[in-house]
Amino acid sequence: MRKTFVLDTNVLLHDPRALTRFEDNDVVIPIEVVEEIDRFKRDPSEKGRNARQVSRLLDGLRQRGNLADGVEIDDVHHGTLKVVFCRSETLSQLPPELKGGNGDNNILAVALEQRLQEVMGSKPPVVLVTKDTNLRIKADAVGLIAQDYSTDKVDLADLYPGFCELQVSATLMDQLKGGGGLGIEELPAGVLAGVTLQANEGVTLVDERQANHTLLARYVGATHRLQPLQKVHRIKLGRILPRNREQTFALDLLLDPALQLLTLVGKAGTGKTLLALAAGLHQVADDHLYDRLLVTRPVIPLGKDIGFLPGDLQEKMGPWMQPIIDNLDFLLGASATDEAGAGRGRGNRAQRSNWADLKGMGLLEVEAISYIRGRSIPRQFMVVDEAQNLTPHEVKTIVTRVGEGTKIVLTGDPYQIDNPYVDADSNGLTWLVERFKGQGLAGHVTLLQGERSELAELAANLL
C-alpha cells in the first residue's frame, strides 16, 4: 500500500540518497530540513559532504517541476517528492511543551499536517522517518507513526557468522581428508537441510556417531566443493598459532592471497587485530606477496576528547596507533624467557623499537582515514582496525581505494562503538559483512572466544 514518508534531517545526512529509496511511495521533506541541510553544507566532515549531495539531488529534481507541488523522483517506481512548509496553525495544535518552534517541532508539525490530510482521505498513511530516538517518542506521544531509517541496517543477531557445522559420516570425512575435496552433491540428502553455504565459508564436519571427531574445511563457491583446511603453519614473525576453531578459519582466510577482502568481527580479546597483523607481516616480510603493511583506524575517542595533538601527522597518529604498537610488541618482542633473563627494562626498550624499525625498513605505513579519499593503494596488505566506528559511506570510500594486488582486512567489535552517528546495526562493518556475503573475493569470520586473558574474557561476557 502506498504511504507518505516524512523525512528528518538526520536521515538525509546519514544516507544522502535516502529520498530515492522509498520506491513508489510519496516522500515529504519539511522546509526546516532544507534549512538544516544548508547549515551543514560547509562542514568539512562526512556530514557536510552528504549535505552538499542532498542539495545537488534536490536541485536536480527541480528540473522535473515545482518541488512545492511535487515531482516524480524517478521513472521506474514513480514515487513523488514534495517540499512542504510548516503552517503556524498546525504548529499551534501541538501540545504546549512542543510549541517552541524549534527544528524537531516544526518537522513534527509538518508530519501532523500530512496526518490530518490522511484522515480527510486525501493522503496515504503517513510515517515519520527519523534516526532521532526522542523525536520518535514525541511522534508517538502525539499519535503519529514513527520509525527508524532501516534501509542499511543489519540485525546483529542475524549477522552472517562465516562458519557452520554439518553432520556427516566418518567415511565422508576420510574421503575429504584424503585430498581433492568433496563436492556438495556428494553429501547425503538432508545434510544441507536449512543450510545455504556461502563462498569461503568455514565448515566444521562432525562425525555423526562420534561428536568429538571433527574436521575443518572451507566451501569454495566457484567449484561448489569442500576443501580441507591446510594445516596452518607457524608464522615466522611472532609466536602465533590459532587457539580455537574460529581463529583457524580466520587465519586460513588471512593467508590466502586469492581473497582480497576479509572482515573479522568479535568481542574484545578474540584476536582480530593480532591475527590480521601477524598474517600481514608474514606475507610482507617473509613471503613478499605485498610491498608493505598499511594500518589505519578511525580517530574517534572513547569518552571526552583530550583536544588537539602536537606535531606532524605521524606524531598526531601516535596515540591512536598505540593498540597496533602493543600488538606489534607482542608479535616481535622477546619471548617471556628472554625477558626474564635479560631484565625487564632491557626487554621493554627492545620492544619499543619494533614500530620504528618496521617503518624505517619500509614494511609498515600508517595512514589517516581522513586523507584516504582519492588514493589508489596497490600491492599492500591493508588493515582497518576499529571499523565498527565507520559509517557505510566511509567503508565504501575505503574499500574502493583498493588497487591491484592489495588485500584489505577490516576488524571490529560492533558492541563497542564510540561514533555517536552509528550503532551495532547500522555501522559500516556489519553492513559490509552482509553486502559481501557469498562473494568469491571476500571472506568473513565472527570470532567468539576471547583469548587475551581469563579476566578480559570474563569482563567481555559480564560487563
Side-chain angles (χ1 to χ4, degrees), residues 18 101 138 161 163 173 198 265 364 400 419 425 451:
K138 290 180 184 178
F163 55 85
M173 292 175 66
Q198 305 292 341
V265 170
L364 176 67
T400 53
N419 186 343
D425 298 327
E451 300 289 353

Side-chain angles (χ1 to χ4, degrees), residues 9 11-19 29 33-34 37-38 47-61 81:
T9 312
V11 173
L12 297 175
L13 292 178
H14 176 76
D15 179 4
R17 298 196 62 82
L19 57 86
I29 297 182
V33 169
V34 178
I37 290 293
D38 185 63
K47 287 188 294 183
R49 291 192 296 271
N50 289 349
R52 292 188 291 273
Q53 186 174 346
V54 170
S55 297
R56 289 192 294 268
L57 187 57
L58 289 174
D59 190 47
L61 288 173
L81 169 73

Side-chain angles (χ1 to χ4, degrees), residues 242-277:
R243 293 186 176 183
N244 54 56
R245 177 187 60 175
E246 293 79 32
Q247 286 191 357
T248 303
F249 286 139
L251 203 51
D252 176 65
L253 298 177
L254 284 165
L255 294 174
D256 185 354
L259 299 183
Q260 294 182 270
L261 173 70
L262 181 59
T263 49
L264 299 179
V265 170
K267 61 187 177 183
T270 50
K272 307 177 297 294
T273 306
L274 184 65
L275 288 174
L277 291 176

